[in-house]
Amino acid sequence: MKCEDFKKYMADLCDKQTDPAITEACRQHMKECAACRAYYEDFMHTVNLLTPKYAPSFGKTQPAVSISPLQTTAKPKKHPSHKWIQIAAAVAIFMAGLGTGLSNFFSTQAEAVPSIPLIFDQSIKSSRSAASFSMSVYARTTPNENFAYINPKSGFMRISLESLRQNQKTFWRLEKEGGRTIVSDDGKQYMWTTGGLAVCGDEKCNFAEGFSSLLRPETLLEQQKAALSGNPQAHAEMTETDSTITIVTHTDVYGNAVSASLLEKEEKSYRCTTENVFSKRDGLLQQVQIWWERDGQKTLVLKSEHIVYNLPLVPSVLVQRPDTTQVTWLSANTPSVKDPAHLRKLTNETAQEAAQRILKALTDGKPQMAGEALYYYTAQLPTLTENMKGCKVSAVSQAKEKKDYKGVIVFYKLTTPDGNTENRHIALRRDNPQGIWMVDGGL
Ligand SMILES: [Zn+2]
């Protein structure tokens, strides 16, 4: 296979029925050719760079996980005074644990050995009663990919989470070292990347996506508990030392974070092994490790350092973010098209037509002609226009679906003024309130 063919076949790989022989030939070529391997990696990272992968916001749906550690997702919202009773109860349990010495935090009730669900319950309560916590994890992901993204094939990177509850508000900061960062002040969330993207919105935006549940100790435990009770194939084991109890759970992957590869068509899900180490002194989760397993291959995807609770955090430091001289803050709620005729035209477009129109606006040097579609590129528009002005776009493909992605990919050929051609692609999605095509990546 030639490199030129490989790039051409990338478009075919998005189609549902690809010739297995072509897939295999691409896979083989990628093993030998570093340039095409890099092209493939780049392609797989094109999408989801700009917006949350699951676009849960826009006021339509609730976030997948509860933001406040005090609220459980199962129960309706209670009057604040009930919340304080819950906290008081949790604190009482916490104090009881402290008072009765090393091994007695986990109440044994009538049983000789406390049951695994009971240990989970008690640790969840302890975790909720902690005023603050700090944890660092190493996870297989990339610096600037959104927080739904974990990939067993990626290298490890360090991610830190700090969370503080003060005056009935929760402040938190989730930071990929040298990459994407999110802060929340319990009213607004802000997310930015080193690439210059900066968006803000209300808590419904849930920028942290699947990761917030992986990084919040009690949510992590709640999800395992649910996964254990819902599936007959799920199981757990417990071991203990003088100071710790370790529970290892074997479940399907919980949360919503699985990244699909184009070259692997099978929809098989991962099995998940989670090792939780609890302190007997206070019942709190001390450390966690997660492995994903598929086709007999077991990979460690996440490993925490020691989790620290009740440390003195300062709200203003937690929510520190770049100011408007450094980044342009975009609202996560996209602007709406007011003119009914224009809106009708935009909503009737196919992705292919939209791509053609947007690319033409750029090569004509008139990006404002596709302003709505290029909303997420607002900050980069001057550079982008400069780079594409005078180029020619041809061979614009039909929209291709990409597994595990809400939008579509359109392929095209770009010819620069000096005659060089390049195979390129653009990611478009329209899961916004008005249903118009917006560029999500690739430019
Ligand atoms: Zn090649």
Side-chain angles (χ1 to χ4, degrees):
M1 179 178 281
K2 289 188 195 133
C3 297
E4 184 68 12
D5 294 331
F6 180 88
K7 284 170 189 164
K8 209 176 74 207
Y9 285 134
M10 287 309 298
D12 296 334
L13 286 171
C14 286
D15 288 332
K16 295 248 155 54
Q17 281 103 27
T18 312
D19 185 348
I22 289 177
T23 309
E24 189 48 40
C26 284
R27 204 179 286 147
Q28 282 306 323
H29 179 75
M30 221 166 62
K31 275 183 191 159
E32 296 149 14
C33 175
C36 286
R37 204 158 54 233
Y39 178 87
Y40 174 76
E41 286 296 315
D42 179 59
F43 174 79
M44 292 303 287
H45 292 172
T46 296
V47 296
N48 304 327
L49 286 176
L50 296 159
T51 49
K53 186 175 183 180
Y54 292 93
S57 56
F58 311 125
K60 280 181 186 165
T61 47
Q62 290 296 311
V65 290
S66 158
I67 295 298
S68 159
L70 280 177
Q71 295 166 12
T72 61
T73 40
K75 287 176 194 160
K77 216 172 181 174
K78 287 182 176 175
H79 189 271
S81 67
H82 290 175
K83 253 192 205 171
W84 289 107
I85 292 167
Q86 281 185 340
I87 297 171
V91 170
I93 292 165
F94 177 73
M95 297 309 283
L98 283 182
T100 49
L102 268 184
S103 59
N104 287 344
F105 173 78
F106 293 109
S107 151
T108 58
Q109 295 190 345
E111 298 163 66
V113 180
S115 74
I116 287 171
L118 189 67
I119 289 172
F120 271 113
D121 281 344
Q122 292 177 344
S123 187
I124 288 165
K125 276 185 192 156
S126 301
S127 187
R128 286 202 196 118
S129 73
S132 66
F133 73 89
S134 161
M135 80 191 273
S136 289
V137 301
Y138 292 87
R140 292 189 185 273
T141 182
T142 56
N144 275 320
E145 206 86 17
N146 68 60
F147 278 93
Y149 183 87
I150 289 184
N151 186 342
K153 286 177 188 141
S154 295
F156 280 102
M157 71 167 307
R158 190 167 183 267
I159 300 163
S160 64
L161 176 76
E162 289 181 317
S163 175
L164 167 71
R165 217 167 43 239
Q166 197 172 75
N167 303 326
Q168 303 194 47
K169 276 186 142 192
T170 305
F171 305 86
W172 55 265
R173 181 183 196 89
L174 178 59
E175 186 162 8
K176 290 187 175 184
E177 202 168 75
R180 187 173 290 229
T181 302
I182 308 170
V183 299
S184 164
D185 63 7
D186 210 352
K188 267 191 136 181
Q189 293 191 3
Y190 298 84
M191 172 167 76
W192 67 95
T193 68
T194 49
L197 159 74
V199 288
C200 61
D202 60 21
E203 294 291 348
K204 281 182 189 154
C205 290
N206 191 28
F207 290 141
E209 306 188 69
F211 239 95
S212 64
S213 63
L214 279 176
L215 291 179
R216 213 170 278 285
E218 65 269 27
T219 314
L220 186 67
L221 300 175
E222 281 161 1
Q223 289 189 329
Q224 286 177 78
K225 219 186 118 193
L228 280 172
S229 65
N231 183 346
Q233 286 180 332
H235 58 102
E237 305 105 37
M238 179 166 77
T239 52
E240 59 181 314
T241 68
D242 285 349
S243 59
T244 62
I245 290 182
T246 298
I247 295 178
V248 179
T249 63
H250 307 270
T251 63
D252 288 329
V253 166
Y254 41 82
N256 54 9
V258 184
S259 178
S261 151
L262 268 183
L263 290 171
E264 292 160 34
K265 287 284 177 184
E266 77 274 23
E267 298 281 347
K268 235 185 289 172
S269 65
Y270 286 94
R271 290 281 290 167
C272 184
T273 300
T274 310
E275 183 193 271
N276 310 274
V277 180
F278 301 96
S279 155
K280 279 185 178 175
R281 187 175 57 81
D282 53 19
L284 290 163
L285 183 68
Q286 278 188 338
Q287 228 162 353
V288 64
Q289 295 189 75
I290 300 175
W291 292 261
W292 283 3
E293 186 176 351
R294 193 168 70 177
D295 301 331
Q297 269 218 314
K298 194 169 178 178
T299 312
L300 182 69
V301 293
L302 183 142
K303 180 183 168 64
S304 81
E305 291 182 341
H306 199 91
I307 307 170
V308 185
Y309 298 86
N310 297 311
L311 66 169
L313 297 175
V314 180
S316 60
V317 176
L318 273 184
V319 300
Q320 217 158 48
R321 59 177 193 270
D323 66 27
T324 46
T325 63
Q326 297 165 288
V327 297
T328 309
W329 290 102
L330 291 173
S331 165
N333 298 307
T334 51
S336 55
V337 178
K338 296 283 188 301
D339 174 21
H342 185 47
L343 178 61
R344 204 158 44 241
K345 189 178 156 262
L346 294 183
T347 50
N348 285 335
E349 266 180 335
T350 65
Q352 187 185 25
E353 288 163 348
Q356 234 145 9
R357 178 177 58 80
I358 296 159
L359 292 167
K360 185 168 183 335
L362 284 166
T363 53
D364 283 353
K366 293 175 184 162
Q368 65 280 5
M369 299 294 286
E372 318 85 11
L374 292 164
Y375 177 69
Y376 288 115
Y377 279 91
T378 304
Q380 296 104 297
L381 268 191
T383 331
L384 198 57
T385 315
E386 190 61 38
N387 291 342
M388 290 190 67
K389 205 173 165 183
C391 292
K392 259 187 66 188
V393 170
S394 58
V396 179
S397 80
Q398 291 199 328
K400 309 276 183 181
E401 280 176 25
K402 182 167 174 284
K403 196 167 75 176
D404 200 31
Y405 178 54
K406 285 241 165 139
V408 297
I409 315 282
V410 173
F411 293 80
Y412 63 96
K413 197 167 257 181
L414 188 77
T415 310
T416 58
D418 50 17
N420 290 326
T421 62
E422 230 183 286
N423 289 311
R424 298 181 65 161
H425 50 267
I426 181 173
L428 299 160
R429 56 195 282 176
R430 62 167 164 194
D431 51 342
N432 49 68
Q434 292 192 308
I436 62 174
W437 290 108
M438 295 181 71
V439 185
D440 193 26
L443 287 178

